[in-house]
Amino acid sequence: MKGFKEHDGLNLPNIAEQVLEKWKNEKTFEASIATREGGPSFVFYEGPPSANGMPGIHHVMGRTIKDLFCRYKTQRGFQVNRKAGWDTHGLPVELGVEKELGITKEDIGKKITIEEYNKACREAVMRYTDVWNDLTEKMGYWVDMSDPYVTYENNYIESVWWLLSQLYEKNMLYKGYTIQPYSPAAGTGLSSHELNLPGTYKDVKDTSATALFKVTSSELQVVSDATEKGNLFFMAWTTTPWTLPSNTALTVGANIDYVLIDTFNPYTAENQKVILAKALLTKYFKTDGLEAEMSYTPSDKMLPYRVLASFKGFELVGSRYEQLLPYAQPMRDADKAFQVIAGDFVTTEDGTGIVHTAPTFGADDMQVAKAAGVPPMLVENENGDPVPLVDLQGRFVMNVNDPVWGLAGEPVKAEYLSDAEREAAFEKQKVSLKEHIPNLSNYLSVDERIALKLKLEGKAFKVEKYQHNYPHCWRTDKPILYYPLDSWFIKASSARDKMIALNNTINWKPESTGTGRFGNWLENVNDWNLSRSRYWGTPLPIWRTGPYGPLMEECVGAIAEFTEKNAYYISEECLDEKGNRFDGQSLRKYLGEKRMMGENVNTIWNDLIRSRKIKTFASLPEEMIDLHRPMVDYVIFFRNGLVLARELDLIDVWFDSGAMPYAQWHYPFEAGHKMPDGSVHPAAQAANETKGMFDSASPLGRGSRGGLDWKEKVIPYDKELTERARQMRNNPTEGERNVWQHLKGKQIGGYDFDRQKPLNSFIADFYCQELSLIVEIDGKSHLSEAQQKKDAARDKKLGALGLNTLRFSGDLVHNKIDEVVGWIQTYVSCFEKDDWNAFEKDGINFLNKYAGKNWKPVSDAGKNPPPSPLPRGGSSTHPLTPSQEGELGIPFPADFIAEGVDQTRGWFYTLHAISSMIKGSVAFKNVVSNGLVLDKNGLKMSKRLGNGIDPFETLGKFGPDATRWYMITNAMPWDNLKFDLDGIIEVQRKYFRALHNSYSFFALYANVDKFTHAEAEIPLANRPEIDRWVISRLNSLVKEVEEAFDNYEPTRAGRAIQDFVVDELSNWYVRLCRRRFWKGDYSDDKIAAYQTLYRCLINVAKLSAPIAPFYSDSLFCDLNNITRKDSANSVHISGWPAINESEIDNDLEQRMALAQTASSLALSLRKKENIRVRQPLQKIMIPVISAEFEKHLKQVEDLILSEINVKELEYIKDDGVFVKSIKPNFKALGPKVGKNMKVLAGKVAQFGQAEIQQLETEGSIQLDLDGEPFELIKDDVEISTKDIPGWSVASEGAMTVALDITISDVLRSEGIARELVNRIQNMRKESGLEVTDKIILMVEKQAEVTRAVESNKNYICDETLASELSLEEAITNDKAINVEVEDGISTRIFLQKAE
RNA sequence: AGUCCCGUAGCUCAGCUGGUUAGAGCGCUACACUGAUAAUGUAGAGGUCCGCGGUUCAAGUCCGCGCGGGACUACCA
């Protein structure tokens, strides 16, 4: 009979490998989903990683968390679909590609076409998919990688477009002019991501100026009065004096206190009055100045001043002032410029409390100015367009021309100048500034010159260098500017209330992330800036007319709309005068200009159409459509003589990932999808109809259900391939022509075949999509081995996409075309019947018939059925089939998501925002945000420090189970984890070894006894105390673990399991029960022991399966394969243990705790007295505190006695022999005595035995607490026995144990006998005897030993399985061993196996 | 700068609604145990509970202000 598997040692990596193999073979993952069919579903969303970087150890952490809850829910009976995904767009991809190609952004469109660039990105982005897939598998992350969503695929983008079009229809998408970080040196706007790259913020010293703006009018009387007297100024501070010419407003805080000061200009010494915030007065004036005489010369140290008036900021609002540097006037609403407005961003932390406001160069400035109706400083350029005073190169426009100081055409930051330019400028300055600065020593920046000019003109109060942190462009290292740029925005702010309300329904782990970080973020949501000026990403689907006519706009929400709305495509032949191909933008400009010149645009257009230079979109072959640049930039609309060209922006990649609940299913375009308003998208309607047709009529429905995701992979857009196919189509070989005669025109079963069809990266001779069939005709060249290898690889690859390839030799096609056609028909009928066995059978005949001579099967069709186009096991069980549930027809919202806490304002936000706006629903109900994985010193892992941990090495060395267990149990998921490999070793040693040893112990003896759990369960009532105890604990454990997992607290679950296994199961239950397993007959007690341990082990396997999926499965199978108590072949398919409340016995658990304490105390006493545990002692005594205590203790008496090797336990009633100690019960006393506690505690501490006695017998005692009488009652104190005079005593808490340490001769003999047994057992083991072998034993006579053997003969024989035991005068056998029984006593022992 | 998390023994972490002597494991030292044995038990050494203030009879725990580490967001005169 097969027994429980006995392992040599514990090798976790090996076990993981074996289990992985088993999962693959048995398709356990698929089964774990299939077997939950019909059950409730648990929706999980996978946050897509980017496959263009290597995975790190932190991914193991994040994915463990995701995985374990999915597994847990599966065990609880939920069906958990989890579709993998890849994030493929975005800057990191672009940067990687640029680095590789050695180009920069400026080269795109010059050295490399956008098309080539994007192709490179597309290839680069999936570079590490293999590595990722490998990690996914090795770490045991169950996610379906066979059909992942990929954000660059057309279907994905189409869904994203649809979402955007929804927002557009809700008027939530708008184009706005906003201030964004911009690098003039690089000529590009920067995303906040780029601004947050390391090293972008640098401490720099800039010239700061406190400028004086001359007040011209005010509604506030005091100010108005002062104005009339002249020389009244607002003080405003800036660290960027170059923005002062663009000043159009001053901003004050409405509730900030301001003061009107009479003083002098520190530079010109002119008497003047200034206004600034009261709180900042001391920054500019020393208090002594208040008393100083009101006179001043520039060399004076002390600036005298007087406070004339004080008022609130709002009183200043509407005051007017003189333009500080009147180089230019705002184009529009100039009359509303130069006034005081209020803004809530104003603080009194630095500056003057009055903020210089240049709406063209500050985000806050722009917002506050817009709200107040103050115009930005925009001037007209040569084209008549409004532009700011600084151009895109960072240079002042010509308007800003100062006869003395220059400025026009100069860069506003000196860093933008090259050394040579700077030198040249310096030379010029020497001349032009001679009047003001005779010996100019170095180049003066724009900031410095403006400050200087203000100083000289008396318009500056203070000029100084100021050190601050300023962002720099990470690529050019030059400072960035905040610059107004056109952008598209989502009006997220209008959905704020909804988002906040919905967020309150989300269960965040930890809660603080949701209420705090995320909540606060929502309170202050800004509109979402979608625009990115890049190349590799989802294009913004908005088409617009240009400045040459009325504005028309089109937001495209589906590919089909191009056709419906009559889109056109600019072909390669459509060139401008210089011979460059037109794109939408340039054509729009070209035609617009013609139109302005009065030409008939329609005529030109008609010529373009007629000459096929512009085609209708509808005429494009489907495979050409790629929703990326540049393709989409060639798509245009033409209305009323105007071209609508696409806005060049791409969208923020975060929108891509936030769209995944929809886009991963190509929502709303597929069958079964419903739009939020309940209607059905026309595309989905069509799909429904097709689906219905197939569903009812034939099994084909399933085959064709690959959907468009699948199609994208199969039919790629590849110009070269398409072209080659076209050529081949035009020049068919004779064989191809032969076959085509029989396939064309739906001759076979009404199925449509294509010839020379580009598929994946190949061209198939004949292809039928409905049949998922490729027919190849192999000419002579295919006879070569090399070619056959290639063919095999090709078939395999296409097979993976669900396509079958039938190959026919050229000869066959020429000579037996009927056979070939017949064979294709066989395929068709097998396909229709979904009967691949028949196919295989016939296939073998067929192949036998034709194989060998001309053609060998290159696929292994002879061995296996060809790759079925149908999901294995039928589509209903395929993991990728979304359960068509919920209102939208897609799994929505998610029950659970998990990512790093860094995603709070990333993915978590975009998911939440999009679903709030589109559906008015949360996107996820529960979210775990996990912390970072740091190195063991708490430092961030980075390539630079070289402190990263290679996940593969870790998994390989320690196995995924230990790694996962360590990560989960070490720290709460949301705390940062200090990752230390030693910690994994510890987990391995402690938890897994304890569990493994417990199993090995079980297996060893169960096999000896042939236990297979065949006997009926022995009723709990008939099992001994310790069994009931461990089962009670097990039930409590299940409860605790269940609660922890339900609350998304895996750490608690793991720790509970670990404590149970190590402390309770292994170190208590198994230890105390050892003898039950190997002593005596196969009795009920023994069976009970096996059943109990079995139950513990199998349930621990189930409980720990979510965290340690491999080992748990191995343990489960090791146990279950023999007993077959569970029909499941994997722990992940079996269910979750039920809690049996009736088996939980708190009383019993308490009793056992007593036993443990008592044993521990007794062992401690032995140690103190230096008495070995093997030496039996006569008695221990335990004072009983209460009847209950005694009752409890009696029930576990046997356990204690055997554990500590003592003969009897005596219960001592209180008869005054104990020394007692007393301690106040603070919790009870606190409310009663309050601040007298200290006095009382002092008194109680001084109680002698008499007082304690009195309290115990009378129940109370009168005390005097600083004059207040107080009656102390028994419940106010805790009394415990601490000592028994004359005994060896130890105590812990309420329990005290006294040990009788006298060793009688009998005890001593017994002790020696035990020592002997121990030595003999060791010898047995050393000589390699089986645990069941009987022995013959000889012991040499020695006074004490002889006595011990004689009086304990039965015991010794029993323990050592000796069938004979003889005492010998002298043992001569040279295999006898000299043993020292105890100090000074030794003998010789000989044993041999009894026959 | 703002928001949030974290700070307890050499290391990794517990410490419930405040209760007086702050715990566990690892590591270290010593001893013991031994048919689970690279396990286990007992004992020992090891603490400014990040600091300072406050509330309270009582603070590791609650509050305030700092410091250090981290994350995100923002960059503002």
Side-chain angles (χ1 to χ4, degrees), chain A residues 716-1020:
Chain A
Y717 169 56
D718 185 326
K719 232 170 64 186
E720 241 182 81
L721 206 65
T722 312
E723 180 54 29
R724 229 174 61 223
R726 198 180 56 80
Q727 282 172 13
M728 288 165 73
R729 208 155 35 232
N730 294 338
N731 304 298
T733 62
E734 204 188 323
E736 286 167 357
R737 199 174 297 145
N738 238 343
V739 173
W740 185 237
Q741 292 307 315
H742 293 87
L743 295 182
K744 70 179 183 184
K746 303 189 182 180
Q747 289 178 61
I748 293 189
Y751 293 103
D752 198 2
F753 276 83
D754 291 333
R755 55 184 175 141
Q756 305 301 354
K757 178 82 175 170
L759 290 176
N760 191 274
S761 51
F762 311 104
I763 296 171
D765 287 348
F766 303 95
Y767 171 62
C768 174
Q769 184 170 337
E770 289 163 280
L771 294 167
S772 302
L773 174 67
I774 295 165
V775 177
E776 284 289 296
I777 300 166
D778 296 338
K780 291 229 161 56
S781 65
H782 289 259
L783 294 174
S784 79
E785 216 178 294
Q787 184 59 40
Q788 296 207 354
K789 250 186 202 160
K790 278 188 198 166
D791 289 343
R794 168 191 161 133
D795 290 357
K796 200 175 152 198
K797 199 161 173 194
L798 292 169
L801 295 169
L803 301 177
N804 294 315
T805 304
L806 297 181
R807 294 182 171 276
F808 301 96
S809 70
D811 286 354
L812 197 63
V813 169
H814 289 303
N815 304 324
K816 305 230 165 129
I817 184 70
D818 289 347
E819 294 270 17
V820 170
V821 173
W823 174 241
I824 295 173
Q825 268 158 350
T826 307
Y827 177 94
V828 171
S829 73
C830 290
F831 182 88
E832 283 179 347
K833 281 183 275 181
D834 193 9
D835 183 358
W836 297 104
N837 288 330
F839 181 87
E840 188 184 358
K841 224 163 59 200
D842 291 343
I844 289 168
N845 292 337
F846 176 81
L847 296 173
N848 284 343
K849 205 164 164 188
Y850 297 105
K853 212 167 149 199
N854 297 320
W855 184 76
K856 270 196 320 199
V858 287
S859 74
D860 43 7
K863 278 182 291 177
N864 297 313
S868 162
L870 305 180
R872 303 250 178 358
S875 71
S876 64
T877 60
H878 193 266
L880 268 192
T881 310
S883 34
Q884 305 280 315
E885 61 176 63
E887 299 163 54
L888 302 180
I890 50 172
F892 182 90
D895 288 299
F896 164 66
I897 59 170
E899 296 294 330
V901 70
D902 52 343
Q903 293 295 343
T904 308
R905 283 155 189 182
W907 193 54
F908 294 157
Y909 171 66
T910 59
L911 275 178
H912 187 67
I914 292 174
S915 288
S916 298
M917 292 186 287
I918 297 286
K919 176 70 177 69
S921 156
V922 295
F924 47 89
K925 297 177 187 164
N926 299 286
V927 51
V928 174
S929 71
N930 54 275
L932 297 182
V933 180
L934 308 170
D935 79 355
K936 63 176 177 179
N937 298 318
L939 295 170
K940 226 177 143 175
M941 290 186 186
S942 72
K943 275 199 191 112
R944 191 170 51 80
L945 294 172
N947 60 349
I949 302 252
D950 178 9
F952 292 100
E953 203 184 308
T954 307
L955 291 175
K957 203 160 159 193
F958 305 102
D961 293 308
T963 308
R964 291 168 59 129
W965 196 273
Y966 164 71
M967 289 178 143
I968 293 303
T969 55
N970 195 326
M972 292 292 195
W974 35 91
D975 286 343
N976 290 344
L977 172 69
K978 287 185 193 160
F979 192 86
D980 187 356
L981 292 174
D982 288 343
I984 308 183
I985 298 175
E986 192 183 322
V987 159
Q988 221 178 14
R989 276 218 314 244
K990 258 204 115 69
Y991 174 68
F992 287 100
R993 185 150 293 140
L995 186 54
H996 180 254
N997 284 342
S998 300
Y999 167 77
S1000 299
F1001 177 82
F1002 168 83
L1004 176 66
Y1005 292 109
N1007 287 342
V1008 169
D1009 284 323
K1010 311 237 182 314
F1011 171 82
T1012 61
H1013 215 307
E1015 298 83 6
E1017 289 268 355
I1018 293 180
L1020 213 55

Side-chain angles (χ1 to χ4, degrees), chain A residues 204 206 239-240 242 394 410-417 422 443 445-447 468 470 479-481:
Chain A
V204 287
D206 274 331
T239 54
T240 52
W242 62 267
E410 290 191 55
V412 298
K413 290 270 173 193
E415 289 88 343
Y416 302 153
L417 286 171
R422 175 193 287 240
Y443 168 80
S445 71
V446 162
D447 283 345
H468 62 156
Y470 198 83
I480 62 117
L481 296 184

Side-chain angles (χ1 to χ4, degrees), chain A residues 569-715:
Chain A
Y569 179 75
I570 303 170
S571 78
E572 280 167 75
E573 288 81 42
C574 189
L575 308 175
D576 64 13
E577 288 96 335
K578 288 182 195 153
N580 294 322
R581 180 182 179 184
F582 274 117
D583 62 12
Q585 296 257 336
S586 56
L587 187 71
R588 181 175 76 186
K589 189 171 179 226
Y590 174 79
L591 290 179
E593 278 164 5
K594 293 280 180 202
R595 184 186 154 98
M596 302 303 266
M597 289 187 284
E599 291 190 36
N600 189 336
V601 173
N602 284 329
T603 315
I604 305 174
W605 175 262
N606 285 337
D607 284 346
L608 289 171
I609 296 283
R610 225 170 283 132
S611 62
R612 303 281 297 146
K613 286 180 178 164
I614 289 179
K615 305 168 183 173
T616 60
F617 186 91
S619 69
L620 296 181
E622 205 183 324
E623 59 268 26
M624 237 187 95
I625 297 169
D626 171 34
L627 301 186
H628 280 100
R629 297 183 71 182
M631 203 269 171
V632 288
D633 295 335
Y634 294 122
V635 176
I636 52 171
F637 295 93
F638 188 73
R639 309 252 163 91
N640 304 331
L642 291 172
V643 171
L644 280 74
R646 197 185 71 82
E647 294 282 288
L648 278 182
D649 311 54
L650 300 184
I651 64 161
D652 186 2
V653 285
W654 284 115
F655 195 94
D656 282 1
S657 47
M660 67 67 71
Y662 315 93
Q664 68 171 336
W665 302 115
H666 192 210
Y667 178 85
F669 301 105
E670 298 286 330
H673 292 174
K674 272 194 207 131
M675 298 207 275
D677 63 4
S679 65
V680 176
H681 193 279
Q685 186 58 46
N688 281 343
E689 281 157 16
T690 321
K691 186 181 174 240
M693 199 174 80
F694 280 138
D695 276 355
S696 53
S698 77
L700 292 183
R702 294 188 284 162
S704 63
R705 274 283 312 282
L708 290 172
D709 271 346
W710 168 81
K711 199 168 153 195
E712 162 82 1
K713 250 177 268 158
V714 175
I715 307 174

Side-chain angles (χ1 to χ4, degrees), chain A residues 107-118:
Chain A
D107 298 326
I108 303 167
K110 292 174 195 153
K111 286 190 195 163
I112 181 174
T113 65
I114 298 175
E115 193 169 355
E116 288 162 343
Y117 179 80
N118 276 359

